[in-house]
Amino acid sequence: MTRVTIRGFDIYKGYLDTGAQTRLIEVLRPVLKSAPLFRPTTARGKEMSVRMTSAGTHGWVSDRRGYRYEPAHPAGAGWPAIPEEILGIWRDLTGLERLPDSCLVNYYGEGARMGMHQDRDEADFSYPVVSVSLGDDALFRIGNTTRGGKTESVWLNSGDVAVMGGPARLTYHGIDRIRFGSSRLLPKGGRINLTLRVVT
Ligand code: SIN
Ligand code: MN
């Protein structure tokens, strides 16, 4: 494993070996079964290309009413618990007693991307965000704490984990594109990103 720091984002390259990545996919299977992926729409009514679901006490949703955390999946049931294997990553990299309230699961199929944004729907920005990459490679773009300006890009590969904390907690970031089919971790291809956050 090597760590690179880009604009305050600590990226642990190869944090999860192949066995650990496969294990995470296994523990995510029941999560996806009880809380199926859905395609959020923005407040303006545009469908996002990424499909999402969550685990934890709080799940991130977006629809015509805007972005927010909700205690239940749009279909009505409460979110499943965050699997222990995922909480272990948080504990190891943050060293915090406080555990995340939310594990957002993003699925990027062919052509999916995520525009530049800040993570700012949480109450306390002193907690870091931990972001796990699984499956296909993704081109991650890192900007500034205000919109616009020069950016830097880095490829995130399966098993990489990024920690956004300190002044970088509110840095703009996004996914320009994935290299569909570049990994064999997911049987149907694509990429899963797990984002762990303290919400309340
Ligand atoms: C996000 O910022 O919500 C996702 C980032 C990623 O997919 O790596
Ligand atoms: Mn984000």
Side-chain angles (χ1 to χ4, degrees):
M1 183 183 74
T2 55
R3 190 183 78 180
V4 292
T5 302
I6 304 174
R7 299 190 177 198
F9 285 48
D10 288 324
I11 302 172
Y12 297 83
K13 303 291 296 176
Y15 175 84
L16 300 165
D17 64 18
T18 311
Q21 294 169 39
T22 304
R23 178 78 191 126
L24 281 191
I25 297 303
E26 276 167 14
V27 302
L28 282 170
R29 207 160 277 140
V31 169
L32 292 167
K33 195 159 187 194
S34 75
L37 292 166
F38 57 93
R39 192 181 293 278
T41 50
T42 65
R44 291 179 177 175
K46 197 170 175 291
E47 278 202 336
M48 294 178 69
S49 57
V50 175
R51 291 192 294 147
M52 295 181 183
T53 191
S54 290
T57 55
H58 293 68
W60 192 86
V61 300
S62 177
D63 57 24
R64 294 307 288 254
R65 288 164 50 210
Y67 305 139
R68 63 196 181 277
Y69 283 97
E70 287 280 0
H73 186 279
W79 307 104
I82 304 175
E84 197 50 46
E85 287 80 355
I86 296 174
L87 294 175
I89 300 171
W90 172 274
R91 281 198 194 90
D92 181 40
L93 291 180
T94 71
L96 294 170
E97 293 272 321
R98 177 75 147 90
L99 293 177
D101 306 306
S102 181
C103 173
L104 177 65
V105 181
N106 288 316
Y107 175 76
Y108 295 74
E110 193 163 10
R113 56 183 301 281
M114 188 174 295
M116 294 293 279
H117 66 276
Q118 290 174 300
D119 285 16
R120 56 173 313 140
D121 300 324
E122 301 76 32
D124 185 345
F125 301 135
S126 68
Y127 289 106
V129 173
V130 172
S131 170
V132 181
S133 292
L134 295 167
D136 289 343
D137 303 337
L139 188 58
F140 186 55
R141 186 187 291 271
I142 304 172
N144 305 286
T145 50
T146 52
R147 191 174 275 289
K150 285 198 175 134
T151 63
E152 284 176 70
S153 295
V154 59
W155 281 97
L156 296 178
N157 310 110
S158 195
D160 292 354
V161 180
V163 179
M164 318 174 210
R169 175 64 179 74
L170 289 172
T171 293
Y172 277 83
H173 58 278
I175 296 288
D176 285 354
R177 59 192 162 92
I178 67 163
R179 260 187 209 130
F180 188 75
S182 54
S183 158
R184 287 167 56 183
L185 185 69
L186 303 175
K188 290 175 189 156
R191 171 175 186 262
I192 287 177
N193 167 259
L194 306 175
T195 310
L196 300 169
R197 302 189 188 100
V198 170
V199 174
T200 57

